[in-house]
Amino acid sequence: MDLKRGREPLVIAIDGPAAAGKGTIATRLADHFGLPHLDTGLLYRAIGRIMADRGFDVDNEDLAAVIAENLDPDDLRDPRLRGHEAGELASRVAVHQKVRAALVRFQREFAGRDRGAVLDGRDIGTVICPDATVKIYVTASAEVRARRRTDELLAKGRDVDYARILSEIRSRDARDSGRATAPLKAADDAVRLDTSDLDREAAFAEAVAIVERVAGNSTAERTSFRST
Ligand code: CDP
């Protein structure tokens, strides 16, 4: 089935916990289907990074909201945002309701582009794009995710310890799932993709199969609805 040439917009929402592999899957799906991709984690990472650089307290909701309202797309280019520390800062600013509210419009406008888009994050299928064509919840055990993150950091020459990364992943999971606003959880209509036993290639192949199946079904449903 050739979804690339379809006329209906294709909005793909990818959610899941830290280091489950959603970033790689989202990037590759966007490339495969010829769609723009927004890594929404970068928005929260940029806010955390800017606050830390200016010596602000990331737990100050009003201050964080002002930074969120004035975020510039160029702020997302800072290479330090990919780092582990920015991820920790992001998860602290992401608990603030006012910060999340300030970022909704930007994300929805991105998702509303003509041909569609791929967005990955924590609340894409539940809050930002509840009508996404396809929702995938990418997950893996905390141990596998900690191992992947440790190997990634070691490969970059960082001196890291598996036990510490595992405990940080667990506390980040607890903070992301336990927060009051837009907690991390799978949308009821999301397809779960557990990558614990899959390498990158297999996880990507599975994600493509999910998109083709779900988007194919939704096109068929719309067609049969129109013809009745
Ligand atoms: O993949 P990883 O968790 O390392 O990074 P990320 O996706 O960039 O997310 C960093 C943090 O930002 C998460 O722990 C969440 O607290 C927060 N986040 C969020 O709350 N909502 C999103 N849509 C994306 C990220």
Side-chain angles (χ1 to χ4, degrees):
M1 182 192 336
D2 191 358
L3 293 172
K4 293 176 198 170
R5 273 187 277 150
R7 271 173 297 143
E8 299 279 349
L10 175 60
V11 177
I12 305 176
I14 314 276
D15 290 300
K22 60 185 188 309
T24 316
I25 289 175
T27 307
R28 291 194 60 187
L29 282 178
D31 189 45
H32 182 81
F33 291 107
L35 295 171
H37 168 220
L38 179 64
D39 168 358
T40 64
L42 279 182
L43 304 170
Y44 299 92
R45 285 170 179 257
I47 297 165
R49 191 65 270 166
I50 290 169
M51 294 188 81
D53 285 349
R54 295 184 188 170
F56 296 164
D57 173 9
V58 290
D59 299 324
N60 182 326
E61 175 159 10
D62 288 328
L63 208 45
V66 172
I67 306 288
E69 279 153 16
N70 292 290
L71 201 63
D72 186 291
D74 279 344
D75 294 331
L76 308 182
R77 297 184 200 278
D78 184 340
R80 293 174 305 159
L81 298 187
R82 304 274 168 198
H84 188 64
E85 194 201 341
E88 290 298 308
L89 292 167
S91 128
R92 284 170 61 194
V93 300
V95 302
H96 303 313
Q97 197 276 331
K98 289 181 187 169
V99 167
R100 306 200 72 87
L103 299 177
V104 167
R105 194 172 59 174
F106 175 77
Q107 294 174 85
R108 290 204 177 133
E109 280 175 3
F110 191 95
R113 292 168 177 217
D114 283 358
R115 292 169 35 251
V118 180
L119 285 84
D120 75 279
R122 298 290 190 286
D123 61 340
I124 308 303
T126 49
V127 175
I128 304 296
C129 303
D131 298 327
T133 327
V134 184
K135 300 178 186 178
I136 306 180
Y137 189 81
V138 183
T139 174
S141 71
E143 290 75 11
V144 167
R145 291 185 285 126
R147 171 51 53 209
R148 285 181 189 157
R149 185 85 358 138
T150 309
D151 291 347
E152 212 175 279
L153 293 168
L154 287 174
K156 286 186 189 155
R158 295 274 302 274
D159 179 22
V160 286
D161 166 49
Y162 169 80
R164 190 173 65 96
I165 298 284
L166 177 60
S167 108
E168 283 179 7
I169 285 221
R170 288 204 169 116
S171 64
R172 186 120 75 94
D173 284 354
R175 197 186 298 134
D176 288 351
S177 309
R179 68 184 174 215
T181 311
L184 168 68
K185 68 171 179 3
D188 291 340
D189 52 351
V191 178
R192 293 181 88 90
L193 171 53
D194 188 330
T195 67
S196 302
D197 299 318
L198 302 178
D199 64 18
R200 282 168 179 239
E201 245 1 273
F204 171 61
E206 186 59 32
V208 171
I210 292 170
V211 173
E212 291 189 334
R213 191 176 73 237
V214 177
N217 284 345
S218 77
T219 307
E221 266 165 34
R222 279 193 298 272
T223 311
S224 68
F225 178 71
R226 279 199 206 107
S227 63
T228 52

